[in-house]
């Protein structure tokens, strides 16, 4: 088979479409013939040499995919050869075939075709686990999403609206904010021109956001705490704005607020399987009737993954960039 390999860390040109051995499914695993994968920021960090795969995972990038079941490993039940699926991965999605733990497989949701399903597993599992399983967003509360036009952001908007929450977003252009509004965002904040703390306070009559989903990390830490409501919850999922920041414990105590930080890729298989099961139970029904849908900016051949990385690094996209095997 062919896969995208990284001989040494570097720019997008480090991604090479190479011939490699076929993977073989082990106990509790399934071999999937990949139709599409999607570009995530974690893939870019891996290419740059900053985010190695966890032990035992594929060395190839790619944290999600869609495709068809090609082979069942020992001990697998509930799936059959030929099933159309999408999957959450620890790596290996940028390839023609990938081995997946059976607990990380999902059937295609209602109304989503096989290619576009590749845009779902990583973002849906990330949003559901952080916004709902950890931060416990409730109907009537306000969610602030940084990077509202990203893959994570576009899904967070839709899921929050589906459960009856109010959504504020930050983005850097008018076009991106307009797309967020189309998905249901209520409060639109251009972070290049506006102070998101002031805008959120104004939109909530001084209360603040009940939950903040943050991809920036250190750069936004202090202001995120300022923007929280009493009993607010800050969920950090990225470090695009740096790793180390100063946390005002006094402000946190005064608001009886909480800060959580999670990653998905290196979690134990049992935890990832539990998240996937929760997504199948709670999110997949929302696709029926069009309450939630994947947002795909563009698709391109997987052999041209370097171009996909350039697009995402330039932040000119809205939603997900797909890499298609054929």
């Amino acid at each position: 088979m062919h896969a995208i390999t990284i001989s040494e860390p570097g720019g997008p040109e480090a991604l090479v479409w190479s011939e490699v051995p076929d993977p073989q499914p082990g106990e509790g695993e399934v071999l999937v013939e990949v139709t599409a994968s999607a570009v995530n920021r974690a893939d870019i960090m891996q290419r740059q040499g900053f985010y190695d795969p966890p032990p035992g995972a594929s060395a190839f990038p790619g944290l999600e995919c869609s495709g068809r079941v090609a082979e069942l490993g020992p001990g697998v039940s509930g799936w059959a050869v030929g099933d159309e699926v999408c999957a959450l991965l620890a790596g290996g999605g940028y390839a023609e075939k990938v081995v997946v733990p059976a607990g990380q497989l999902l059937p295609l949701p209602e109304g989503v075709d096989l290619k576009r399903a590749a845009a779902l597993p990583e973002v849906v599992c990330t949003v559901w686990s952080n916004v709902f399983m950890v931060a416990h967003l409730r109907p009537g509360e306000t969610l602030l999403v940084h990077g509202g036009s990203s893959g994570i952001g576009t899904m967070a908007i839709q899921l929050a609206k589906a459960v009856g929450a109010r959504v504020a977003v930050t983005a850097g252009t008018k076009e991106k904010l307009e797309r967020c509004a189309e998905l249901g965002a209520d409060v639109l904040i251009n972070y290049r021109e506006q102070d998101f703390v002031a805008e959120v306070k104004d939109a909530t009559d001084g209360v603040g956001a009940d939950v903040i989903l943050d991809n920036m990390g250190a750069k936004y830490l202090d202001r995120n705490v300022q923007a929280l409501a009493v009993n607010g919850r800050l969920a950090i999922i990225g470090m695009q704005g740096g790793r180390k920041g100063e946390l005002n414990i006094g402000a946190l105590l005064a608001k009886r607020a909480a800060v959580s930080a999670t990653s998905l890729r290196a979690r134990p298989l049992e935890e990832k399987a539990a998240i996937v099961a929760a997504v199948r139970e709670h999110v997949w029904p929302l696709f029926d009737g069009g309450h939630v849908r994947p947002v795909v900016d563009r698709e391109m051949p997987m052999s041209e993954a370097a171009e996909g990385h350039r697009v995402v690094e330039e932040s000119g996209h809205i939603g997900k960039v797909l890499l298609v095997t054929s």
Side-chain angles (χ1 to χ4, degrees):
M1 73 167 191
H2 285 81
I4 291 291
T5 61
I6 306 170
S7 59
E8 60 182 34
E13 67 281 355
L15 302 175
V16 180
W17 188 236
S18 307
E19 190 167 353
V20 298
D22 286 10
Q24 300 297 320
E27 181 76 26
E29 295 179 331
V30 171
L31 180 67
V32 174
E33 290 185 349
V34 175
T35 297
S37 186
V39 179
N40 287 283
R41 292 280 176 181
D43 304 331
I44 293 171
M45 291 176 63
Q46 179 176 337
R47 188 205 77 219
Q48 294 170 333
F50 300 131
Y51 194 20
D52 291 337
S58 171
F60 312 137
L63 300 183
E64 57 193 338
C65 75
S66 61
R68 295 179 176 86
V69 174
E71 184 180 344
L72 303 179
V76 174
S77 60
W79 301 99
V81 172
D83 283 349
E84 294 187 333
V85 297
C86 56
L88 179 69
L89 309 172
Y94 290 18
E96 293 177 320
K97 297 178 183 179
V98 66
V99 165
V100 186
Q104 292 167 217
L105 286 177
L106 286 158
L108 300 193
E110 185 72 27
V112 179
D113 65 39
L114 188 56
K115 285 183 183 180
R116 294 173 71 86
L120 295 174
E122 175 72 12
V123 295
V124 177
C125 288
T126 297
V127 172
W128 189 260
S129 62
N130 283 278
V131 174
F132 298 94
M133 297 175 73
V134 174
H136 303 291
L137 181 70
R138 294 183 288 267
E141 290 190 324
T142 297
L143 169 68
L144 169 61
V145 182
H146 291 300
S149 63
S150 66
I152 293 288
T154 54
M155 182 54 60
I157 294 167
Q158 294 180 82
L159 291 182
K161 295 301 294 184
V163 303
R166 189 182 188 199
V167 181
V169 298
T170 64
T173 70
K174 180 181 178 181
E175 178 192 8
K176 289 182 176 182
L177 290 171
E178 288 174 349
R179 291 293 300 276
C180 291
E182 291 171 4
L183 293 170
D186 304 285
V187 182
L188 309 176
I189 304 166
N190 187 325
Y191 67 80
R192 300 182 192 277
E193 302 173 355
Q194 298 169 289
D195 174 11
F196 72 80
V197 177
E199 295 298 323
V200 168
K201 291 284 189 178
D202 183 64
T204 58
D205 296 324
V207 172
D210 300 287
V211 176
I212 300 175
L213 184 62
D214 174 61
N215 60 351
M216 293 300 292
K219 183 178 180 179
Y220 278 9
L221 182 58
D222 181 64
R223 289 199 292 156
N224 276 331
V225 172
Q226 294 177 41
L228 280 175
V230 172
N231 295 316
R233 291 86 72 195
L234 167 60
I236 301 173
I237 60 169
M239 301 178 291
Q240 292 182 41
R243 293 169 176 262
K244 296 182 179 181
E246 186 170 310
L247 179 62
N248 186 334
I249 301 298
L252 203 65
L253 287 169
K255 292 187 174 184
R256 302 186 297 280
V259 178
S260 64
T262 73
S263 63
L264 187 58
R265 186 181 196 182
R267 288 191 185 209
L269 295 181
E270 296 79 9
E271 290 187 20
K272 286 193 275 192
I275 292 169
V276 168
V279 162
R280 185 170 181 175
E281 178 183 358
H282 298 288
V283 180
W284 255 221
L286 298 175
F287 285 90
D288 188 9
H291 300 292
V292 176
R293 59 184 175 85
V295 177
V296 175
D297 186 275
R298 69 193 75 182
E299 61 182 60
M300 59 189 63
M302 190 173 287
S303 59
E304 299 176 12
E307 179 59 26
H309 276 221
R310 291 186 184 97
V311 169
V312 173
E313 285 185 275
E314 292 169 359
S315 296
H317 64 296
I318 295 174
K320 299 301 287 283
V321 173
L322 298 186
L323 305 175
V324 181
T325 57
S326 61

